[in-house]
Amino acid sequence: MYINSTQREQLTQMLFDKMIELRKKEVKNIMAYEIAFQDVIEKVFPEESWWDITGCEIFIHLMVHKNPEATIIEILKQLKED
């Protein structure tokens, strides 16, 4: 799948917007972040499952690092562009 720069920018913006929204609501549950990030990915790429877009294991990354911002960066680093 080819991910163009517009999709990458849209995904980046939407993931960070979602993180900010959850932080403002003082959400601490990492599963809420996991689900929200997965939903964002599938909104940007409606024809694909989130795991077809990124190699990042979102839940595991959140569990290990406990940092949603770092997880977003990892999601973007591991985009599957073939």
Side-chain angles (χ1 to χ4, degrees):
M1 144 164 247
Y2 176 73
I3 299 172
N4 65 42
S5 60
T6 302
Q7 289 169 313
R8 179 182 282 276
E9 289 170 15
Q10 181 183 18
L11 180 60
T12 301
Q13 187 64 52
M14 289 176 69
L15 285 168
F16 279 104
D17 287 350
K18 183 55 73 173
M19 179 192 69
I20 291 165
E21 175 187 324
L22 292 171
R23 282 186 173 167
K24 283 183 181 176
K25 293 178 181 177
E26 298 183 8
V27 173
K28 303 290 185 207
N29 183 338
I30 63 167
M31 287 187 73
Y33 284 90
E34 174 199 20
I35 292 166
F37 292 168
Q38 291 168 355
D39 287 347
V40 166
I41 294 167
E42 291 180 351
K43 282 180 185 163
V44 176
F45 301 96
E47 302 296 318
E48 304 288 338
S49 297
W50 69 268
W51 58 85
D52 292 327
I53 302 301
T54 184
C56 178
E57 292 290 340
I58 298 170
F59 180 74
I60 293 169
H61 198 279
L62 285 165
M63 283 290 294
V64 170
H65 299 280
K66 299 185 181 2
N67 181 341
E69 186 173 359
T71 300
I72 291 171
I73 292 166
E74 194 62 27
I75 289 167
L76 296 170
K77 277 186 190 175
Q78 292 196 40
L79 289 178
K80 296 179 180 178
E81 300 183 78
D82 38 54

